[in-house]
């Protein structure tokens, strides 16, 4: 199973389409059981995802590959390796896990700064200790890769990819990473739920892209056998170079529906590709 279960919703009210808030612990446990049942073996979280790691620890992480992310290195930290080790040990304790499958940097550009070499060494040191199997980076745009790869070769890269944001593919970076032997995980395949929302529920600040939403709706109307979820998921999974596709859900029913959509294989997708960062980068949404 190439799905990874995203857990941001386990620690906070995450996503523009989230109307139900943080997922309760009882539902987290049900979701973890469902993930095991359907062969999903990877959980994606981060130290910065509120209480997500602690909730996972309570829910039970046995049998899962755990991927978490380091927050930005504080500017006043002089001893980098002890700080990184402390962060990761605390993360393992919260998740009640003997090791972490993947450790990613949330701010990979820090590898280019004066303490970058020490940060890279700290990551590799954790591998040598056996605390972490793979180290890597989480990026917002393919442009981040070129300078970082000059100083650090990741084992794993996590990047956004969806029907609207196709930069990872169209820039050629997905193929380049595959050729380098770097694993790639795709996230934001629903654009934080924006691609799943009915037209009447879409927040008004996204009205500037009405032609795109109209094209998307027309495609869905013409392909009624496919749901928005199935089309988005099938697009991400259509790229063999993607090792895992990270999906977040708010409840067990959503997860079951998502698994069912794996049966659907659209013949083709609408050309929704957009390079407007105000839309494809959620960090810009608050200023819309």
């Amino acid at each position: 199973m190439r799905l990874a279960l995203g857990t941001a919703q386990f620690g906070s009210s995450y996503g523009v389409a989230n109307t139900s808030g943080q997922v309760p612990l009882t539902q987290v446990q049900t979701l973890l059981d469902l993930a095991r049942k359907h062969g999903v073996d990877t959980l994606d979280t981060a130290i910065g995802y509120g209480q997500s790691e602690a909730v996972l620890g309570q829910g039970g992480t046995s049998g899962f590959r755990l991927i978490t992310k380091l927050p930005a290195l504080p500017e006043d930290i002089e001893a980098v390796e002890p700080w990184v080790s402390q962060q990761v040990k605390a993360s393992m304790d919260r998740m009640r896990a003997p090791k972490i499958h993947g450790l990613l940097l949330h701010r990979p550009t820090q590898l280019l700064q004066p303490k970058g070499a020490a940060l890279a060494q700290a990551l590799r040191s954790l591998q040598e200790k056996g605390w972490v199997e793979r180290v890597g980076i989480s990026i917002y745009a393919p442009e981040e890769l070129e300078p970082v790869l000059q100083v650090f070769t990741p084992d794993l890269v996590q990047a956004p990819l969806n029907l609207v944001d196709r930069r990872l593919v169209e820039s050629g970076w997905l193929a380049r990473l595959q050729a380098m032997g770097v694993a790639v995980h795709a996230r934001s395949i629903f654009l934080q739920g924006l691609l799943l929302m009915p037209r009447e529920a879409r927040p008004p600040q996204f009205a500037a892209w009405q032609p795109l939403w109209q094209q998307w709706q027309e495609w869905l109307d013409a392909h009624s056998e496919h749901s928005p979820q199935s089309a988005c998921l099938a697009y991400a999974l259509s790229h063999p170079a993607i090792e895992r596709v990270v999906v977040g859900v708010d409840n067990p029913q959503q997860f079951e529906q998502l698994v069912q959509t794996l049966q659907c294989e659209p013949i083709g997708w609408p050309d929704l590709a957009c390079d407007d960062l105000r839309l494809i980068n959620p960090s810009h949404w608050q200023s819309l």
Side-chain angles (χ1 to χ4, degrees), residues 123-202:
L123 296 179
R124 295 303 182 192
S125 177
L126 291 176
Q127 285 183 300
E128 294 170 4
K129 291 180 181 179
W131 291 15
V132 175
E133 292 183 29
R134 297 200 285 188
V135 296
I137 58 177
S138 175
I139 64 170
Y140 289 95
E143 292 77 19
E144 297 177 58
L145 289 166
E146 191 72 62
V148 169
L149 289 177
Q150 298 298 317
V151 299
F152 179 76
T153 301
D155 304 312
L156 173 63
V157 169
Q158 188 184 101
L161 176 67
N162 54 64
L163 285 164
V164 177
D165 181 1
R166 305 187 186 191
R167 294 171 295 170
L168 188 66
V169 175
E170 295 182 349
S171 65
W173 267 110
L174 180 58
R176 288 179 64 179
L177 291 170
Q178 182 183 33
M180 294 171 60
V182 178
V184 178
H185 289 191
R187 71 168 186 275
S188 196
I189 68 164
F190 305 128
L191 197 55
Q192 287 200 16
L194 202 57
L195 285 164
L196 307 183
M197 301 177 77
R199 68 187 85 185
E200 63 274 9
R202 192 172 295 117

Side-chain angles (χ1 to χ4, degrees), residues 74-89:
E75 293 183 4
D76 60 349
I77 293 295
E78 294 297 333
V80 174
E81 189 164 335
W83 180 85
V84 171
S85 294
Q86 182 183 36
Q87 292 290 316
V88 174
K89 180 61 168 63

Side-chain angles (χ1 to χ4, degrees), residues 10-227:
F10 294 1
S12 62
S13 300
Y14 177 82
V16 70
N18 185 340
T19 58
S20 55
Q22 182 177 337
V23 180
L25 178 59
T26 54
Q27 291 200 5
V28 168
Q29 292 170 325
T30 300
L31 283 166
L32 294 177
D33 289 341
L34 284 173
R36 292 187 182 95
K37 171 186 172 183
H38 290 291
V40 175
D41 65 356
T42 303
L43 302 178
D44 180 82
T45 188
I47 293 173
Y49 288 172
Q51 297 298 310
S52 175
E53 289 187 335
V55 169
L56 285 175
Q58 295 175 63
T61 58
S62 176
F64 287 108
R65 294 179 172 187
L66 302 174
I67 296 175
T68 194
K69 307 173 193 75
L70 275 179
L73 181 71
E75 293 183 4
D76 60 349
I77 293 295
E78 294 297 333
V80 174
E81 189 164 335
W83 180 85
V84 171
S85 294
Q86 182 183 36
Q87 292 290 316
V88 174
K89 180 61 168 63
S91 181
M92 292 163 61
D93 289 344
R94 283 190 293 270
M95 293 190 287
R96 304 177 189 179
K99 64 179 180 180
I100 291 173
H101 177 71
L103 178 65
L104 309 180
L105 295 180
H106 240 156
R107 285 275 302 278
T109 53
Q110 290 194 316
L111 290 165
L112 308 174
Q113 297 171 2
K115 296 175 185 175
L119 181 56
Q121 178 55 42
L123 296 179
R124 295 303 182 192
S125 177
L126 291 176
Q127 285 183 300
E128 294 170 4
K129 291 180 181 179
W131 291 15
V132 175
E133 292 183 29
R134 297 200 285 188
V135 296
I137 58 177
S138 175
I139 64 170
Y140 289 95
E143 292 77 19
E144 297 177 58
L145 289 166
E146 191 72 62
V148 169
L149 289 177
Q150 298 298 317
V151 299
F152 179 76
T153 301
D155 304 312
L156 173 63
V157 169
Q158 188 184 101
L161 176 67
N162 54 64
L163 285 164
V164 177
D165 181 1
R166 305 187 186 191
R167 294 171 295 170
L168 188 66
V169 175
E170 295 182 349
S171 65
W173 267 110
L174 180 58
R176 288 179 64 179
L177 291 170
Q178 182 183 33
M180 294 171 60
V182 178
V184 178
H185 289 191
R187 71 168 186 275
S188 196
I189 68 164
F190 305 128
L191 197 55
Q192 287 200 16
L194 202 57
L195 285 164
L196 307 183
M197 301 177 77
R199 68 187 85 185
E200 63 274 9
R202 192 172 295 117
Q205 63 263 40
F206 298 103
W209 296 278
Q210 184 56 36
L212 183 148
W213 307 129
Q214 182 63 32
Q215 184 180 358
W216 177 223
Q217 187 60 53
E218 289 174 358
W219 187 91
L220 291 169
D221 291 342
H223 299 80
S224 57
E225 70 276 19
H226 299 297
S227 67

